[in-house]
Amino acid sequence: MTTAARRVPARGPGLAGYRTRVPILEISDLIIRHDVATGASLPVRRDEVIAALRAAGDRRGARIVAGLPHRDGVLEAAAVDRLLVRTHTELQRLNEELRIAEQLAELLGPLLAAVARGGERPRVVDVGCGIGYAVRWLAAAGVLGDVDLSGVDFNPALVAEATRLADVEGLACRFVRGDAFALPGSATVYISVGVLHHLRGDALGAFFRAQADAGAQAYCHFDIAATRLAPVGAWMFHRARMREPLGRHDGVVSARRAHTDHDLMTAARSAPGLVPLLHRPTHHSNPFCASVRPLLGVRPQEVSALRAALGPAARHLVTDSRPMRRPW
Amino acid sequence: MSAAVAVPVVLASIALVDAALAGFRAATGRNGLIRKRAYYVVAMRRGLAGGAAVLGCLALVLGAVLATAPDPGTRYTGLTQAGISMLWVIGPFAAVVVASLVGYAVLPRRPATFLILLGLGPLTLIRPWVTVAAGLTAAWTALDLPTAVCTVVAATSVLAVEPWVHRRWYAEPA
Ligand SMILES: C[S@@+](CC[C@H](N)C(=O)[O-])C[C@H]1O[C@@H](n2cnc3c(N)ncnc32)[C@H](O)[C@@H]1O
């Protein structure tokens, strides 16, 4: 279970102000569980999820889970899979409107130009790809040229949907089930969209280290910018654009538990051999435009090649971050 | 063009554009393909058809209300006045929506994103309230009860298009 912490008012006499730290939970992290080794889905008890959400003070989340179908108290895996596919399809609609894949392509092109070795076909792998929107968009647009595109996710239902959608449109990309911490195969560049905030505590650093260990030349990870306005924007946008209560709930929670620039940079620095660079860090951006911002990583000797490949956009690259509260 | 013709024409045009956009929204989040222009064109046509059906029903209701009036001319003038009141509320909203959509289509990506978060998203959220407010404003200024009822019915029936199209064609993912 991945968690973030928030301060809540302590209850009971004599306890002044904010004392205890309780987790901020996304329902989608709680309602599925897989055997890491085999990928087989494991039973999830509905009461346990409800209890975890209630303990976190999240009564709305608990109500949403209470409405999910179950058999003898165990959530019905097929219904949960369908729900997650529906929610990810709605999430894709948000990514489309915010043109996330376009933003990704604008950075990925220069990144590949800077790090790809002559003669080798570059390999781009999307970690936590969901239904594979970013990879399928890149394959359909063909903007990266001759690149091997694939996606990895630990949820087999999402991988199956990504594969189905790619097949329907005849797109040259693949999707496999796999864990971000034990990556199958290798990649020139690892990418992700909206995954980092799911990784809490040590898992965040381990995510970057797994990519370094897999021999990555670079990475480019997009996630929600941690601003104080982000939860308000997320509430408004998810309310206007999503129908699934789970998606609306998790969308706001994601914004509340997004990592600060500093936390991301600190975790990314733990990956040996790759220098993290923030592009348009949160405190440099217009608060309403910073819905997501990317963290790039390259080998030290390739930083100047990346700057050259980015051209004028390189002026938005930052290598250091200050520990600071959420701006705006 | 006189107000007697212009007001219903403008209101019906806004309602039809709104219905096409309602068809688009009803279909969003239900199809994970990358290329789906044709899918959205069909959805907007369905919205448009729904909007046309709503307008057809409203025309029948208005026809009946006019036919049963003691003085149809006076009632037509009253309905036109109510339509003008509606336009005072809906007109500025429609103008902002159109400006946001044009901005989203033509502006570079970053300001376009800004427009979504500040413009298009909140505008979708307040649309039902604006529509109801327009109906109530017109009802408030209406000369008689049938006219007031017509304005409220007209405003609320427009809101039925999106849920109807969604339930009819897009309840399940494509
Ligand atoms: C918020 S979703 C984002 C999905 C997709 N990238 C998008 O933008 O629509 C996070 C995804 O990360 C996946 N995920 C989380 N932890 C993972 C892990 N350890 N290994 C692989 N996938 C993981 C989840 O299954 C989920 O699909």
Side-chain angles (χ1 to χ4, degrees), chain A residues 22-228:
Chain A
V22 297
I24 305 177
L25 303 170
E26 277 183 65
I27 297 171
S28 54
D29 284 339
L30 305 176
I31 57 175
I32 46 161
R33 208 172 292 149
H34 295 109
D35 182 317
V36 180
T38 64
S41 65
L42 301 171
V44 178
R45 294 207 61 81
R46 195 176 64 145
D47 290 352
E48 287 174 12
V49 178
I50 293 173
L53 287 161
R54 285 220 183 103
D58 185 352
R59 275 182 293 176
R60 190 171 157 253
R63 270 201 306 278
I64 293 170
V65 175
L68 297 181
H70 66 104
R71 187 160 296 167
D72 301 327
V74 173
L75 290 175
E76 273 186 30
V80 168
D81 283 348
R82 279 197 302 277
L83 173 63
L84 288 177
V85 167
R86 271 204 312 278
T87 306
H88 275 79
T89 309
E90 292 191 355
L91 185 62
Q92 172 170 328
R93 181 255 193 281
L94 253 62
N95 286 341
E96 285 167 357
E97 192 166 340
L98 292 169
R99 304 187 194 171
I100 303 287
E102 253 175 85
Q103 292 186 51
L104 181 64
E106 276 170 26
L107 288 177
L108 211 43
L111 197 57
L112 283 169
V115 304
R117 301 208 175 96
E120 268 178 40
R121 188 169 182 234
R123 203 165 165 231
V124 173
V125 176
D126 183 0
V127 188
C129 64
I131 60 169
Y133 168 63
V135 162
R136 290 183 292 111
W137 188 92
L138 290 169
V143 284
L144 299 179
D146 186 24
V147 171
D148 182 295
L149 292 164
S150 62
V152 177
D153 200 290
F154 66 12
N155 184 332
L158 299 179
V159 170
E161 177 66 358
T163 306
R164 182 188 77 81
L165 291 165
D167 286 349
V168 170
E169 294 191 286
L171 301 174
C173 51
R174 286 168 295 121
F175 298 94
V176 292
R177 203 203 64 77
D179 188 359
F181 304 105
L183 289 161
S186 64
T188 315
V189 182
Y190 284 103
I191 62 170
S192 74
V193 179
V195 174
L196 297 179
H197 65 270
H198 286 271
L199 311 169
R200 315 307 306 183
D202 295 341
L204 187 59
F207 177 79
F208 292 103
R209 289 194 295 279
Q211 292 162 29
D213 291 348
Q217 302 288 315
Y219 56 75
C220 177
H221 298 298
F222 276 76
D223 201 23
I224 306 157
T227 66
R228 268 179 264 167

Side-chain angles (χ1 to χ4, degrees), chain B residues 33 40 47 51 67 87 107 116 119 172:
Chain B
L33 296 176
Y40 281 136
L87 278 174
L107 286 174
I116 296 167
E172 289 304 317

Side-chain angles (χ1 to χ4, degrees), chain A residues 96-97 99 106 169 288, chain B residues 32 34 36 104 109 117 124:
Chain A
E96 285 167 357
E97 192 166 340
R99 304 187 194 171
E106 276 170 26
E169 294 191 286
F288 296 101
Chain B
I34 302 296
K36 38 184 185 276
Y104 180 69
R109 201 198 58 243
L117 294 176
T124 309

Side-chain angles (χ1 to χ4, degrees), chain A residues 212-272:
Chain A
D213 291 348
Q217 302 288 315
Y219 56 75
C220 177
H221 298 298
F222 276 76
D223 201 23
I224 306 157
T227 66
R228 268 179 264 167
L229 281 178
V232 181
W235 177 84
M236 191 275 302
F237 202 44
H238 286 77
R239 179 99 215 152
R241 300 290 187 248
M242 286 186 122
R243 296 180 190 91
E244 285 299 338
L246 182 148
R248 288 178 171 179
H249 173 276
D250 281 8
V252 177
V253 170
S254 308
R256 284 174 59 209
R257 65 180 194 160
H259 296 294
T260 64
D261 290 353
H262 185 68
D263 288 349
L264 279 187
M265 291 290 267
T266 306
R269 280 194 197 102
S270 74

